[in-house]
Amino acid sequence: MRRRSWYWSRVWVAVVVVVFVVLLNKSLRSDDIDEVVDRRNKLHPVEMKVRKPRDCAITSWAEVKEAHQYPDDKDVSMEKDVVSRREHIQNMCRTHVHTGGRVSDPYIHVPSNLSMCLVPKVGCTFWKRVFFHLYGDSGKTPGQVSTPLDIDRLYVHFGGNRTPKTVSLNTQPGRDVIFNSTRVMFARDPWSRLWSAYVDKFILPDSWLDHGQNIVQLRPKLGVSGDEGPNSNHTRDAKQMFQRFVCADDITFSEFLNYAFQVSIDPHWSPIHELCDPCIFRPHVVGKMETFARDARYVLVTSGLGHLLQGLDHASHVQDELQLLTRYHFRMLEQRPLLRACLDDVSLARRLWRAFQLNGYIAPGRGFPAELLTRELQGATPSQSAALVTSLVTAAATDSAFGHAQWAAVRHRHMVAAYRAVSKDLLAAMQERFALDFDLFQYDREPADIFTVLP
């Protein structure tokens, strides 16, 4: 009997010890989990509120209005848009658990606590110039640079020193700095973005020697017909075969779209979510190209960088764009000998003139001054040619006197005309390829002015 009593007493002691250990371990695990959750929430806060940057005292739209004079009273809706766009992204990311995208190394400016995920054809050049300027990286002496707009496009895309401007989310230090900053990205209507990529890369000669040559070689497979785009000219004689197969100067919009959807993955025409996945980046502010000046001002002012606003208006943007693209392409012509065999200075000027008309900077009916340029550019150096053409296109844009609304209408009209010449199958392929962009960033996947005219 005593032995049995001793046995059961040992059992009870063991049970008590086991219960104690289990409770202790549970407590320790809860503490560990709480610590992990707390640390995760610090790095990835669930409530994505725009936190006050370290060197910034302006956080509300009322203060923004007081700090900087805006020309349009409707801009007071910006804060409402910021919240609405952010909440929409959050809701979409809960629905689409995995979008299949990534985040290219974001730009970061630690003093202002501002980080940005940049996407080509969505204000990328402007924001790169801002970050380069903030780090004093301009390729010029300090006295030559007073605003980001003084930094050359070629230097931004192909030059630049190794001043740390980007960080990788593949490292813990990179994640720490990004997810403790105010995160910004910009979006653009896919219809407009693709049209802009075509004009910049194929109406202008930027991609003739790579993507253009690929398209020419793939023409039998792509099998596009019925597109008489703004630069279509497939009927060539033997003397022009060099331009046809080497220069690739006659790529149509339909050929480009077929190539973009079937063959080529390029950041300039890849969906935004594949390059900068908002479900990974979790932006506090989603700006849009359609309201770029307003949204960019909001980002700069609320980040304590309002002093960079000099020149950020439509008229200055047009002047800068004309000068930037003209200088860029004449320097490219100088640096790529094969392009020089495809284009002379007058031909390049004609291309620029056409691109500026398609972009709404020069009135559609304004004739290209061929005789004047043929005479004046003879024997000119590349820099002299760029200066003369810049002067002429700037004067033409000034004479056109398009305000922002007129500019947008002209540009949109050209874009719609280009899409109307595209087949139904290509339009359907476009809708499928950019389906998530349409949904994430709230753009119309079937614009009435493009689709209602189709038979």
Side-chain angles (χ1 to χ4, degrees), residues 151-172:
I151 303 176
D152 190 78
R153 180 191 185 105
L154 270 173
Y155 185 81
V156 166
H157 290 291
F158 304 110
N161 60 41
R162 297 190 179 275
T163 303
K165 305 177 189 70
T166 63
V167 296
S168 173
L169 292 183
N170 294 325
T171 67
Q172 188 59 49

Side-chain angles (χ1 to χ4, degrees), residues 133-234:
H133 182 70
L134 290 171
Y135 283 105
D137 182 10
S138 66
K140 302 178 180 180
T141 59
Q144 294 178 299
V145 178
S146 58
T147 76
L149 302 183
D150 293 329
I151 303 176
D152 190 78
R153 180 191 185 105
L154 270 173
Y155 185 81
V156 166
H157 290 291
F158 304 110
N161 60 41
R162 297 190 179 275
T163 303
K165 305 177 189 70
T166 63
V167 296
S168 173
L169 292 183
N170 294 325
T171 67
Q172 188 59 49
R175 289 192 292 273
D176 289 349
V177 70
I178 291 298
F179 287 108
N180 278 295
S181 68
T182 298
R183 298 180 296 282
V184 179
M185 67 177 292
F186 273 71
R188 184 175 188 173
D189 187 339
W191 303 102
S192 170
R193 184 163 170 257
L194 278 177
W195 170 243
S196 179
Y198 171 70
V199 172
D200 281 1
K201 300 298 179 182
F202 297 99
I203 297 295
L204 294 175
D206 206 5
S207 288
W208 286 5
L209 301 183
D210 41 49
H211 292 297
Q213 289 185 2
N214 292 340
I215 292 174
V216 169
Q217 294 172 9
L218 290 169
R219 269 176 176 159
K221 293 182 179 180
L222 293 176
V224 178
S225 63
D227 180 2
E228 298 302 326
N231 195 40
S232 177
N233 184 15
H234 284 182

Side-chain angles (χ1 to χ4, degrees), residues 308-378:
L308 301 180
L309 288 169
Q310 180 183 348
L312 190 59
D313 55 58
H314 176 68
S316 297
H317 163 75
V318 171
Q319 298 293 322
D320 176 63
E321 187 79 355
L322 297 173
Q323 295 172 14
L324 193 70
L325 285 173
T326 302
R327 289 200 308 267
Y328 171 77
H329 283 90
F330 271 98
R331 287 184 62 184
M332 185 174 64
L333 195 61
E334 181 182 13
Q335 295 174 6
R336 299 181 186 177
L338 193 56
L339 266 184
R340 172 57 73 180
C342 299
L343 286 168
D344 59 23
D345 288 357
V346 176
S347 299
L348 176 57
R350 188 186 298 275
R351 291 271 176 173
L352 287 163
W353 191 275
R354 179 61 175 149
F356 294 151
Q357 286 183 319
L358 292 172
N359 283 330
Y361 301 139
I362 297 176
R366 190 178 182 96
F368 174 69
E371 292 184 8
L372 172 64
L373 284 173
T374 300
R375 182 174 64 253
E376 296 295 331
L377 293 180
Q378 189 172 7

Side-chain angles (χ1 to χ4, degrees), residues 232-243:
S232 177
N233 184 15
H234 284 182
T235 304
R236 303 250 179 163
D237 58 35
K239 295 180 180 179
Q240 296 173 309
M241 293 301 285
F242 178 82
Q243 278 80 6

Side-chain angles (χ1 to χ4, degrees), residues 68-127:
H68 186 78
Q69 191 63 39
Y70 283 81
D72 194 340
D73 288 337
K74 70 181 179 183
D75 288 338
V76 297
S77 65
M78 180 62 196
E79 259 189 353
K80 187 179 294 184
D81 285 348
V82 167
V83 174
S84 175
R85 293 170 183 174
R86 184 171 64 238
E87 290 180 347
H88 177 79
I89 291 289
Q90 290 175 320
N91 292 333
M92 285 295 301
C93 290
R94 292 188 190 102
T95 304
H96 298 84
V97 179
H98 179 63
T99 61
R102 61 186 176 87
V103 176
S104 304
D105 294 350
Y107 275 61
I108 179 75
H109 184 243
V110 175
S112 60
N113 203 29
L114 174 68
S115 64
M116 187 168 292
C117 190
L118 301 182
V119 176
K121 305 309 303 171
V122 193
C124 178
T125 299
F126 171 81
W127 287 113

